Amino acid sequence: MLNYIPYFGPVIGAFLLALGGLMTFSDIWMAMLPPALMYGLHLVEANAITPFVVGHRLTISPLLILISLSFWGWVWGTSGALLAVPLLIIIQTIVKAAGKPDIAGFLFEHGTLVQPKTGRNRRRGDPPEAQRETGG
């Protein structure tokens, strides 16, 4: 449950395990083994396993997730770390929906980077005049 509190959650969990270990074991090394094991496993899970699983599940590169977490965590701190993956998904969706840019399309009637429509790649609802203009 404490994993949902970024940065401090695992530290609090390790502290509680250390407290329980000190009450249970007489040897300090045996008492510190559970918190050390828990914290080590948490580091592996949070920095390797979770980005890998989330990246494959959402078809986003794990490296991109780590970069997003680092950037938004740096910009907005804890709130940014919590919002990093949703923001990444939103940005990726907007970029995919925007499609290939037609940079000079706003200056010219038909644009410059757009391929002319032929009979094969003509849209279904285009009028016959558009078909004659493109040579299809």
Side-chain angles (χ1 to χ4, degrees):
M1 190 68 167
L2 292 173
N3 271 346
Y4 292 108
I5 304 171
Y7 304 115
F8 297 114
V11 173
I12 294 169
F15 175 74
L16 293 174
L17 280 174
L19 191 63
L22 288 172
M23 288 191 279
T24 306
F25 299 108
S26 59
D27 185 25
I28 189 79
W29 297 110
M30 287 299 290
M32 291 300 133
L33 186 62
L37 189 62
M38 193 277 309
Y39 203 71
L41 289 174
H42 170 74
L43 287 175
V44 170
E45 181 267 334
N47 293 315
I49 297 171
T50 299
F52 182 76
V53 170
V54 170
H56 281 285
R57 180 87 171 134
L58 299 174
T59 64
I60 298 174
S61 167
L63 179 63
L64 202 55
I65 291 173
L66 288 174
I67 291 171
S68 176
L69 282 169
S70 299
F71 175 75
W72 291 113
W74 172 67
V75 171
W76 288 336
T78 305
S79 302
L82 288 172
L83 294 173
V85 174
L87 284 172
L88 179 63
I89 293 169
I90 290 169
I91 291 169
Q92 185 180 23
T93 304
I94 290 171
V95 168
K96 281 185 180 179
K100 187 176 180 181
D102 185 14
I103 297 168
F106 67 95
L107 293 176
F108 304 104
E109 181 180 353
H110 296 290
T112 57
L113 300 177
V114 179
Q115 297 292 326
K117 297 174 192 167
T118 62
R120 267 191 323 219
N121 62 3
R122 185 175 67 87
R123 289 183 298 189
R124 195 174 279 172
D126 284 348
E129 300 84 44
Q131 187 177 8
R132 267 187 256 122
E133 288 175 5
T134 59

